[in-house]
């Protein structure tokens, strides 16, 4: 199997990144993480880039031409697939157009509900009985691309944001690899 050279974009802890690195070491998993991009030099996820000897690039998104720098690095490393894993920056139409149907994201809600930020507090305020995560293709609209997979759990009325986050992350670690396998199974 020829693995797809993949870049993971991160901004924070990198727990989904760690999970994807672990899964990508399996010979039957369809991607190889060849680059990590972060817009946060303090992202704890960069530890995994260093630990597993994966090239990484820090991108200062305050500069106007930062997406050109991203594209140059993606081309330099021959990246053909992108996974967003807690990347807290909206991608421009320019970047999405260059990687159409080649960028996926994981979101901590059952989309189309609770797009954007502060998901867990919004779930609690709405007294939802179900929560979960969604892996979807990235398009020009925030958290609106076609769904690849959703994982669901039932919400207990005594759950707080911390419990919701932990339960959601547990599902994310299953959903993200399953979605990647599903995408490449038919390609």
């Amino acid at each position: 199997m020829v693995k797809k050279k993949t870049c993971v974009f991160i901004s924070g802890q990198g727990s989904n990144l760690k999970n994807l690195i672990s899964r990508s070491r399996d010979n039957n998993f369809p991607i190889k993480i060849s680059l990590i991009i972060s817009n946060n030099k303090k992202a704890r996820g960069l530890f995994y880039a260093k630990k597993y000897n994966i090239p990484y690039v820090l991108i200062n998104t305050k500069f106007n031409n930062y997406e050109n720098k991203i594209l140059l690095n993606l081309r330099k490393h021959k990246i053909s697939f992108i996974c967003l894993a807690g990347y807290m920056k909206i991608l421009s139409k320019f970047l999405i157009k260059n990687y159409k149907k080649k960028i996926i994201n994981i979101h901590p809600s059952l989309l189309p509900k609770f797009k954007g930020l502060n998901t867990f507090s919004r779930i609690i305020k709405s007294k939802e009985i179900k929560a979960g995560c969604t892996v979807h293709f990235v398009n020009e609209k925030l958290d609106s691309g076609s769904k690849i997979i959703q994982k669901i759990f039932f919400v207990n009325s005594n759950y707080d944001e911390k419990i919701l986050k932990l339960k959601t992350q547990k599902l994310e670690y299953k959903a993200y690899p399953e979605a990647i396998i599903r995408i490449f199974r038919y390609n």
Side-chain angles (χ1 to χ4, degrees):
M1 168 190 276
V2 177
K3 292 180 173 245
K4 298 283 183 191
K5 288 188 170 201
T6 299
C7 178
V8 180
F9 285 44
I10 64 168
S11 293
Q13 297 296 314
S15 62
N16 271 300
L17 168 64
K18 179 185 177 192
N19 182 49
L20 290 176
I21 291 170
S22 173
R23 291 300 303 269
S24 70
R25 297 180 148 216
D26 175 346
N27 288 337
N28 295 320
F29 198 67
I31 67 167
K32 175 184 191 285
I33 298 173
S34 304
L35 181 64
I36 296 166
I37 289 180
S38 179
N39 64 331
N40 176 6
K41 65 182 176 197
K42 294 179 182 174
R44 289 196 59 229
L46 292 174
F47 165 81
Y48 301 115
K50 295 169 190 167
K51 179 179 179 180
Y52 295 103
N53 230 1
I54 300 169
Y56 67 92
V57 179
L58 291 170
I59 302 288
N60 186 339
T61 55
K62 290 181 175 59
F63 292 116
N64 284 338
N65 65 345
Y66 77 90
E67 287 202 329
N68 288 329
K69 188 175 178 185
I70 289 174
L71 267 179
L72 284 172
N73 279 284
L74 293 173
R75 289 180 180 141
K76 177 181 164 187
H77 291 273
K78 297 179 173 53
I79 299 299
S80 60
F81 192 67
I82 297 170
C83 296
L84 305 182
Y87 185 64
M88 303 307 286
K89 184 80 181 164
I90 295 172
L91 300 181
S92 74
K93 290 176 186 172
F94 172 71
L95 188 58
I96 293 167
K97 191 173 80 178
N98 277 275
Y99 280 86
K100 196 165 187 76
K101 285 282 193 189
K102 302 287 184 209
I103 306 173
I104 62 173
N105 182 41
I106 189 154
H107 185 74
S109 79
L110 300 172
L111 293 174
K113 286 185 168 187
F114 308 108
K115 297 175 183 181
L117 301 174
N118 307 313
T119 307
F120 303 118
S121 64
R122 290 162 51 211
I123 289 170
I124 290 170
K125 279 182 191 151
S126 296
K127 295 181 177 14
E128 292 293 312
I129 57 168
K130 287 193 272 184
C133 63
T134 306
V135 182
H136 64 94
F137 285 103
V138 173
N139 65 13
E140 290 83 11
K141 292 184 180 171
L142 180 67
D143 296 327
S144 296
S146 57
K147 288 179 252 178
I148 303 158
I149 199 168
Q150 282 189 318
K151 296 274 185 192
I152 298 168
F153 64 90
F154 288 94
V155 178
N156 189 313
S157 61
N158 64 357
Y159 285 180
D160 61 12
E161 285 183 45
K162 189 176 180 182
I163 292 170
L164 268 182
K165 182 177 180 178
L166 287 170
K167 288 185 81 62
T168 302
Q169 282 180 323
K170 228 175 176 177
L171 285 183
E172 287 178 349
Y173 304 149
K174 292 177 184 171
Y176 222 161
E178 282 181 33
I180 291 167
I181 290 167
R182 188 177 287 183
I183 289 166
F184 292 108
R185 180 180 293 148
Y186 305 108
N187 289 345

